[in-house]
PDB file of all heavy atoms in Angstrom:
ATOM      1  N   PHE A1313     154.572 -30.326  -3.754  1.00 88.00           N
ATOM      2  CA  PHE A1313     155.113 -31.692  -3.731  1.00 88.00           C
ATOM      3  C   PHE A1313     156.671 -31.674  -3.894  1.00 88.00           C
ATOM      4  O   PHE A1313     157.335 -32.375  -3.199  1.00 88.00           O
ATOM      5  CB  PHE A1313     154.482 -32.430  -4.907  1.00 88.00           C
ATOM      6  CG  PHE A1313     154.955 -33.850  -5.031  1.00 88.00           C
ATOM      7  CD1 PHE A1313     154.497 -34.767  -4.059  1.00 88.00           C
ATOM      8  CD2 PHE A1313     155.856 -34.293  -5.903  1.00 88.00           C
ATOM      9  CE1 PHE A1313     154.926 -36.193  -4.070  1.00 88.00           C
ATOM     10  CE2 PHE A1313     156.367 -35.531  -5.967  1.00 88.00           C
ATOM     11  CZ  PHE A1313     155.826 -36.493  -5.097  1.00 88.00           C
ATOM     12  N   LYS A1317     159.854 -30.159   1.602  1.00 88.00           N
ATOM     13  CA  LYS A1317     160.827 -30.154   2.665  1.00 88.00           C
ATOM     14  C   LYS A1317     161.607 -28.879   2.731  1.00 88.00           C
ATOM     15  O   LYS A1317     161.784 -28.316   3.859  1.00 88.00           O
ATOM     16  CB  LYS A1317     161.877 -31.400   2.260  1.00 88.00           C
ATOM     17  CG  LYS A1317     163.254 -31.214   2.535  1.00 88.00           C
ATOM     18  CD  LYS A1317     163.942 -32.393   2.271  1.00 88.00           C
ATOM     19  CE  LYS A1317     165.310 -32.205   1.614  1.00 88.00           C
ATOM     20  NZ  LYS A1317     165.139 -32.166   0.142  1.00 88.00           N
ATOM     21  N   GLU A1318     161.833 -28.304   1.496  1.00 91.00           N
ATOM     22  CA  GLU A1318     162.469 -26.946   1.494  1.00 91.00           C
ATOM     23  C   GLU A1318     161.615 -25.855   2.129  1.00 91.00           C
ATOM     24  O   GLU A1318     161.975 -25.003   2.802  1.00 91.00           O
ATOM     25  CB  GLU A1318     163.009 -26.686   0.077  1.00 91.00           C
ATOM     26  CG  GLU A1318     164.095 -27.589  -0.495  1.00 91.00           C
ATOM     27  CD  GLU A1318     163.624 -28.774  -0.942  1.00 91.00           C
ATOM     28  OE1 GLU A1318     162.340 -29.064  -0.943  1.00 91.00           O
ATOM     29  OE2 GLU A1318     164.487 -29.684  -1.364  1.00 91.00           O
ATOM     30  N   ASP A1325     162.701 -22.309  10.087  1.00 89.00           N
ATOM     31  CA  ASP A1325     163.992 -21.872  10.557  1.00 89.00           C
ATOM     32  C   ASP A1325     164.775 -21.429   9.357  1.00 89.00           C
ATOM     33  O   ASP A1325     165.614 -22.217   8.936  1.00 89.00           O
ATOM     34  CB  ASP A1325     164.734 -22.928  11.319  1.00 89.00           C
ATOM     35  CG  ASP A1325     165.879 -22.498  12.100  1.00 89.00           C
ATOM     36  OD1 ASP A1325     166.374 -21.429  11.850  1.00 89.00           O
ATOM     37  OD2 ASP A1325     166.242 -23.166  13.096  1.00 89.00           O
ATOM     38  N   THR A1331     172.120 -22.335   6.422  1.00 86.00           N
ATOM     39  CA  THR A1331     173.349 -23.135   6.621  1.00 86.00           C
ATOM     40  C   THR A1331     173.298 -24.543   6.033  1.00 86.00           C
ATOM     41  O   THR A1331     174.215 -25.110   5.741  1.00 86.00           O
ATOM     42  CB  THR A1331     173.522 -23.220   8.139  1.00 86.00           C
ATOM     43  OG1 THR A1331     172.516 -24.105   8.724  1.00 86.00           O
ATOM     44  CG2 THR A1331     173.596 -21.862   8.841  1.00 86.00           C
TER      45      THR A1331
ATOM     46  N   ARG B 198     170.521 -31.898   4.366  1.00 85.00           N
ATOM     47  CA  ARG B 198     171.682 -31.572   3.495  1.00 85.00           C
ATOM     48  C   ARG B 198     172.171 -32.790   2.844  1.00 85.00           C
ATOM     49  O   ARG B 198     172.371 -32.809   1.540  1.00 85.00           O
ATOM     50  CB  ARG B 198     172.849 -30.949   4.245  1.00 85.00           C
ATOM     51  CG  ARG B 198     174.001 -30.632   3.317  1.00 85.00           C
ATOM     52  CD  ARG B 198     174.908 -29.687   3.902  1.00 85.00           C
ATOM     53  NE  ARG B 198     175.179 -29.915   5.310  1.00 85.00           N
ATOM     54  CZ  ARG B 198     175.398 -28.934   6.131  1.00 85.00           C
ATOM     55  NH1 ARG B 198     175.570 -27.748   5.764  1.00 85.00           N
ATOM     56  NH2 ARG B 198     175.657 -29.174   7.437  1.00 85.00           N
ATOM     57  N   GLY B 201     169.789 -33.270  -0.126  1.00 83.00           N
ATOM     58  CA  GLY B 201     169.776 -32.339  -1.288  1.00 83.00           C
ATOM     59  C   GLY B 201     168.335 -31.889  -1.551  1.00 83.00           C
ATOM     60  O   GLY B 201     167.453 -32.320  -0.931  1.00 83.00           O
ATOM     61  N   PHE B 203     164.854 -31.588  -3.457  1.00 85.00           N
ATOM     62  CA  PHE B 203     163.651 -32.400  -3.972  1.00 85.00           C
ATOM     63  C   PHE B 203     163.519 -33.761  -3.218  1.00 85.00           C
ATOM     64  O   PHE B 203     162.392 -34.164  -3.137  1.00 85.00           O
ATOM     65  CB  PHE B 203     163.880 -32.606  -5.471  1.00 85.00           C
ATOM     66  CG  PHE B 203     163.898 -31.326  -6.298  1.00 85.00           C
ATOM     67  CD1 PHE B 203     165.078 -31.072  -7.075  1.00 85.00           C
ATOM     68  CD2 PHE B 203     162.909 -30.320  -6.136  1.00 85.00           C
ATOM     69  CE1 PHE B 203     165.063 -29.956  -7.828  1.00 85.00           C
ATOM     70  CE2 PHE B 203     163.011 -29.245  -6.847  1.00 85.00           C
ATOM     71  CZ  PHE B 203     164.100 -28.952  -7.678  1.00 85.00           C
ATOM     72  N   LYS B 204     164.622 -34.383  -2.823  1.00 81.00           N
ATOM     73  CA  LYS B 204     164.440 -35.706  -2.292  1.00 81.00           C
ATOM     74  C   LYS B 204     163.706 -35.659  -0.937  1.00 81.00           C
ATOM     75  O   LYS B 204     163.955 -34.647  -0.241  1.00 81.00           O
ATOM     76  CB  LYS B 204     165.746 -36.321  -2.106  1.00 81.00           C
ATOM     77  CG  LYS B 204     166.289 -36.890  -3.385  1.00 81.00           C
ATOM     78  CD  LYS B 204     167.380 -37.970  -3.202  1.00 81.00           C
ATOM     79  CE  LYS B 204     168.334 -38.037  -4.356  1.00 81.00           C
ATOM     80  NZ  LYS B 204     169.436 -37.126  -4.106  1.00 81.00           N
ATOM     81  N   ARG B 205     162.937 -36.683  -0.670  1.00 84.00           N
ATOM     82  CA  ARG B 205     162.102 -36.591   0.593  1.00 84.00           C
ATOM     83  C   ARG B 205     162.837 -37.430   1.797  1.00 84.00           C
ATOM     84  O   ARG B 205     163.662 -38.166   1.499  1.00 84.00           O
ATOM     85  CB  ARG B 205     160.697 -37.215   0.246  1.00 84.00           C
ATOM     86  CG  ARG B 205     160.064 -36.421  -0.615  1.00 84.00           C
ATOM     87  CD  ARG B 205     158.774 -36.903  -1.220  1.00 84.00           C
ATOM     88  NE  ARG B 205     158.143 -35.775  -1.806  1.00 84.00           N
ATOM     89  CZ  ARG B 205     157.289 -35.037  -1.187  1.00 84.00           C
ATOM     90  NH1 ARG B 205     156.792 -35.333  -0.067  1.00 84.00           N
ATOM     91  NH2 ARG B 205     156.781 -33.926  -1.730  1.00 84.00           N
TER      92      ARG B 205
END
Side-chain angles (χ1 to χ4, degrees):
Chain A
F1313 180 78
K1317 142 176 138 279
E1318 290 79 4
D1325 191 340
T1331 65
Chain B
R198 181 162 39 212
F203 305 122
K204 283 202 210 89
R205 292 169 168 266

